[in-house]
Amino acid sequence: RLLQLNDEALAKLTGQSLQGEVVLGVPSDIVYPVIPAVLRRFAHEHPMMRIRLVSSYTLKLRQLFAQGECDLILTTEDTVAPGGETLRSLPLIWVGAPGGQAFRQRPLPLAFEFNCIFRTGVQAALEAAGIDWVMASEAEATRSIEASVSADLAVHALVAGAEPRDLVSVPHGGSLPDLGQIQVNLYTGQNEAAGPLAAIIRQEYARLKSRSRS
């Protein structure tokens, strides 16, 4: 009995008391740079747990969370809904092909996924600035949008720091409207592993913020 109690205490200290699976949902544009470090730490600290990453749009992740199919989700939103917490605010920026000229065209050619949460706000910002636009490329898959933008057929909007290798921030010099800030929000469910995983996510975002200031 004493040996069993000792094993239980050790398991709690090493994180091995947690067993099963935890599902984390993250929009594809904020998987990097934080999530790989989160996954590594959680796997190391809780080796008896399986962690499954679901990458999708914020709207879809909110739906999965409400249905209990994700235990935690990160979102990119203008505001935070009840039950959520904001980890960081980041600029939403225009992106295009390196050396591209699509941002100079009028009407401005846009490329967006059908379910992208940024799409409506970007269109509203252009209309408020009196800039005509046309939807040059629409797709379900992010890779398809990236291909169109990297070919200089259109421009897109992303959270700053999330630019893929073949896209860059557009040097528009004020010819395109400012897109404001996007909040990275965390929503945590009732799975017993959700709390420890949420703690790691908070810590890694705090480290990211600290590095950006230095």
Side-chain angles (χ1 to χ4, degrees):
R1 178 60 180 169
L2 288 175
L3 183 59
Q4 180 182 352
L5 291 173
N6 181 70
D7 288 344
E8 290 175 357
L10 181 61
K12 289 180 180 179
L13 288 174
T14 60
Q16 294 185 27
S17 59
L18 290 177
Q19 298 185 34
E21 181 181 71
V22 62
V23 183
L24 171 63
V26 183
S28 59
D29 54 356
I30 57 168
V31 168
Y32 294 97
V34 169
I35 299 305
V38 168
L39 299 179
R40 283 194 299 269
R41 279 192 56 190
F42 188 82
H44 176 73
E45 296 176 17
H46 304 280
M48 302 299 291
M49 285 292 302
R50 296 185 304 275
I51 180 168
R52 181 158 58 93
L53 179 65
V54 175
S55 181
S56 188
Y57 305 104
T58 286
L59 296 175
K60 179 64 174 179
L61 293 174
R62 290 290 302 272
Q63 180 183 1
L64 292 174
F65 184 72
Q67 294 170 347
E69 296 181 39
C70 282
D71 300 305
L72 301 87
I73 58 170
L74 288 172
T75 64
T76 49
E77 304 173 275
D78 293 331
T79 59
V80 61
E85 58 182 292
T86 299
L87 300 178
R88 196 171 185 203
S89 293
L90 295 168
L92 187 64
I93 62 171
W94 294 100
V95 295
Q101 299 300 307
F103 75 93
R104 300 183 187 279
Q105 298 178 29
R106 297 295 183 271
L108 181 70
L110 301 178
F112 277 96
E113 300 92 332
F114 291 112
N115 296 315
C116 180
I117 199 169
F118 304 145
R119 178 172 171 161
T120 302
V122 167
Q123 293 169 346
L126 289 170
E127 290 168 1
I131 298 174
D132 292 333
W133 56 269
V134 61
M135 193 57 63
S137 179
E138 297 177 285
E140 294 284 353
T142 299
R143 291 296 188 188
S144 299
I145 297 303
E146 290 176 1
S148 296
V149 177
S150 65
D152 199 28
L153 300 179
V155 295
H156 184 53
L158 284 175
V159 175
E163 304 94 310
R165 181 178 58 185
D166 296 331
L167 302 183
V168 298
S169 176
V170 171
H172 59 82
S175 63
L176 296 178
D178 180 86
L179 298 176
Q181 298 280 315
I182 292 297
Q183 295 183 354
V184 178
N185 298 324
L186 172 65
Y187 298 85
T188 306
Q190 299 302 313
N191 186 319
E192 65 173 342
L197 179 54
I200 292 174
I201 292 171
R202 292 186 194 100
Q203 291 163 11
E204 291 300 324
Y205 264 95
R207 289 180 182 180
L208 180 65
K209 187 181 294 186
S210 178
R211 288 198 300 269
S212 67
R213 288 174 177 171
S214 60

